[in-house]
């Protein structure tokens, strides 16, 4: 029965990422996946059968299901706002994959609609809710590196056309390394440093077209509509600055570089496109140099155990719906990150610093005791 007990969930979008969500959300006891919808109803049916979800059909079937309280929007970026809006209008809470949308006006309208409807809007990534990321955030807040000053982040490789069967959407407006991977890095920066105040960026594009290399569309050539190599500088409202490389134009695969430099040390965080299953390490300033190469001692933070995966944000919303508290991965943060990324795009086009208009308050953390496998509702 809606309103009590575990929370009913319906998916719209049964593509590549749906599997990772379903794997977790079908094992977290506080939620129940009831229905999967997609334009491609056969794909929805196949995913439902694979994961033991009782019903499947179209997006409208999900919206019409009275037992669905949260719609999980896993459609492509260009469809995010329209699908999330229709879910809110149907009286459902929404979790949407990133980015929240592809332009400021409609994304802002979505955040306002959620607020005026009294419904929750959560925006990916929820990687930052993983046990590893939350432990790193607690350590920084606890002063492990003193006062955080700057961050260095890097994500570089040949690009997702290497493995994605529908890679064209990842090089269309609203995607590219900036909008596809940037949400992980900028969201993590906002969680740690607070809102971004202004950005400056250069962007280039190595290829005018790319080719699908996996699946039934293999060989299809599609246009590259966005910059595919970006160097971004960000300054934060509360002080501090970051430099971020986001590239689909390098042979070298190096994802997840995320380092925060503070007054008393540097912390190396997990890849923000993971839930934090790599060791968190800290290095202290040298007190002198005895020769080269320089050897530095690394401290490793205690292992956090299982970090879980995609779906934590949905679970956080489900518990907040029942308990009445805040949820962490909000629409406001999702909008601020989109606003930042659009400002980066504008900086690339205009070759100047661009101020980020939106702001957000401090981002809350999950309680240390947050256990996805506990039945709490
Ligand atoms: N693939 C990944 O590794 C990955 C990782 C993290 C996040 N994401 C994000 O997840 C989202 C989905 O990515 P994907 O890789 O699963 O894409 P995909 O192309 O494999 O799947 C998208 C699905 O959405 C359906 N769809 C599109 N518009 C729809 C609409 N209006 N109504 C109903 N169904 C609709 C499509 O038919 C398709 O089945 C994107 O926002 C992407 O940024 C993907």
């Amino acid at each position: 029965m809606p309103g009590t007990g575990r929370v009913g969930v319906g998916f719209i979008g049964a593509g590549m990422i749906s599997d990772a969500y379903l794997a977790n959300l079908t094992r977290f006891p506080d939620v129940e996946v009831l229905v999967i919808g997609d334009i491609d109803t056969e794909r929805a049916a196949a995913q439902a059968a694979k994961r033991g979800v009782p019903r499947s059909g179209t997006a409208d079937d999900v919206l019409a299901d009275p037992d669905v309280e949260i719609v999980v929007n896993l459609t492509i970026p260009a469809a995010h706002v329209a699908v999330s809006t229709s879910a809110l209008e149907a009286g459902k809470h929404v979790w949407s994959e990133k980015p929240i949308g592809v332009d400021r006006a409609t994304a802002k309208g979505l955040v306002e609609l959620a607020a005026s409807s009294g419904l929750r809007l959560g925006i990916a990534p929820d990687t930052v809710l993983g046990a590893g990321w939350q432990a790193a955030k607690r350590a920084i807040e606890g002063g492990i590196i003193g006062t955080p000053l700057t961050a260095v982040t890097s994500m570089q490789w040949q690009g997702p056309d290497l493995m994605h069967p529908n890679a064209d959407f990842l090089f269309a407006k609203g995607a590219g390394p900036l909008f596809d991977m940037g949400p992980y890095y900028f969201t993590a920066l906002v969680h740690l440093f607070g809102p971004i105040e202004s950005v400056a960026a250069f962007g280039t594009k190595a290829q005018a077209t790319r080719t699908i290399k996996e699946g039934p569309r293999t060989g299809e050539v599609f246009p590259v509509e966005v910059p595919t190599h970006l160097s971004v500088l960000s300054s934060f409202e509360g002080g501090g600055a970051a430099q971020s490389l986001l590239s689909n134009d390098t042979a070298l695969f190096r994802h997840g570089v995320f380092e925060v430099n503070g007054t008393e040390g540097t912390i190396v965080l997990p890849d923000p496109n993971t839930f934090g299953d790599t060791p968190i390490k800290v290095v202290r300033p040298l007190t002198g140099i005895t020769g080269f190469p320089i050897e530095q001692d690394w401290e490793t933070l205690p292992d956090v155990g299982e970090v879980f995966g995609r779906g934590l944000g949905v679970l956080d919303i489900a518990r907040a719906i029942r308990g009445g508290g805040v949820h962490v991965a909000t629409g406001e943060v999702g909008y601020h990150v989109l606003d930042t990324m659009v400002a980066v795009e504008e900086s690339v086009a205009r070759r100047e610093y661009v101020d980020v208009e939106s702001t957000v308050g401090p981002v809350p953390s999950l309680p240390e005791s947050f256990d996805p496998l506990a039945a709490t509702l």
Side-chain angles (χ1 to χ4, degrees):
M1 189 178 97
T4 56
R6 55 189 188 162
V7 176
V9 171
F11 278 47
I12 300 182
M16 193 168 173
I17 199 60
S18 65
D19 220 39
Y21 273 90
L22 284 166
N24 284 317
L25 291 176
T26 54
R27 80 176 178 131
F28 295 164
D30 281 348
V31 292
E32 186 177 16
V33 185
L34 299 168
V35 55
I36 304 179
D38 198 294
I39 295 170
D40 184 338
T41 51
E42 279 179 23
R43 192 178 295 161
Q47 283 298 77
K50 180 176 173 189
R51 294 290 179 182
V53 174
R55 299 187 281 284
S56 71
T58 63
D60 284 343
D61 292 328
V62 176
L63 299 180
D65 193 315
D67 295 325
V68 167
E69 291 178 71
I70 305 175
V71 167
V72 176
N73 177 0
L74 305 183
T75 61
I76 57 173
H80 282 172
V81 168
V83 170
S84 296
T85 300
S86 62
L88 291 172
E89 285 171 351
K92 315 293 189 191
H93 305 280
V94 171
W95 172 265
S96 169
E97 251 308 327
K98 48 76 190 167
I100 182 173
V102 295
D103 66 86
R104 289 191 182 104
T106 61
K108 197 172 187 183
L110 181 67
V111 173
E112 287 165 359
L113 176 63
S116 64
S117 316
L119 293 164
R120 289 179 189 264
L121 174 64
I123 302 295
D126 55 2
T127 46
V128 281
L129 304 191
W133 264 89
Q134 289 287 309
K137 188 180 179 205
R138 276 194 299 276
I140 292 173
E141 287 168 352
I144 197 162
I145 55 161
T147 305
L149 300 170
T150 58
V152 174
T153 81
S154 190
M155 186 294 304
Q156 60 181 99
W157 68 316
Q158 281 161 265
D161 46 335
L162 210 51
M163 47 59 132
H164 201 294
N166 299 316
D168 46 346
F169 86 77
L170 293 166
F171 293 87
K173 182 169 164 49
L178 173 62
F179 289 90
D180 183 42
M181 297 299 283
Y184 298 110
Y185 292 83
F186 292 116
T187 303
L189 288 171
V190 171
H191 273 237
L192 298 177
F193 283 85
I196 294 170
E197 172 187 61
S198 73
V199 294
F202 277 104
T204 55
K205 184 192 337 185
Q207 302 167 55
T209 59
R210 295 201 180 215
T211 308
I212 292 188
K213 300 186 181 74
E214 273 298 324
R217 298 174 59 202
T218 296
E220 254 185 60
V221 175
F222 60 87
V224 176
E225 297 176 4
V226 290
T228 41
H229 181 101
L230 296 109
S231 303
V232 184
L233 301 177
S234 310
S235 69
F236 300 96
E237 273 180 33
Q243 66 184 74
S244 301
L245 174 65
L246 292 157
S247 181
N248 286 344
D249 287 342
T250 76
L252 178 65
F253 183 103
R254 183 165 54 198
H255 278 205
V257 175
F258 203 110
E259 299 156 356
V260 179
N261 306 300
T263 50
E264 291 166 36
T266 293
I267 185 167
V268 178
L269 290 98
D271 180 341
N273 187 17
T274 70
F275 290 77
D277 53 359
T278 51
I280 304 160
K281 293 167 129 190
V282 174
V283 71
R284 301 285 167 204
L286 296 165
T287 50
I289 293 175
T290 51
F292 293 94
I294 292 171
E295 301 282 340
Q296 286 189 279
D297 292 329
W298 289 89
E299 274 166 49
T300 303
L301 268 58
D303 185 61
V304 294
E306 189 177 2
V307 298
F308 298 95
R310 293 187 208 278
L312 289 178
V314 179
L315 178 63
D316 184 34
I317 287 185
R319 288 178 176 172
I321 290 169
R322 292 285 183 268
V326 294
H327 68 274
V328 174
T330 59
E332 284 77 8
V333 171
Y335 177 72
H336 179 64
V337 168
L338 175 73
D339 192 17
T340 299
M341 297 187 301
V342 175
V344 167
E345 200 175 44
E346 290 168 348
S347 176
V348 169
R350 306 205 307 242
R351 293 185 165 240
E352 59 187 33
Y353 284 93
V354 176
D355 289 337
V356 179
E357 216 176 86
S358 62
T359 189
V360 281
V363 180
S365 300
L366 288 179
E368 202 168 341
S369 58
F370 190 87
D371 176 4
L373 297 182
T376 72
L377 302 180

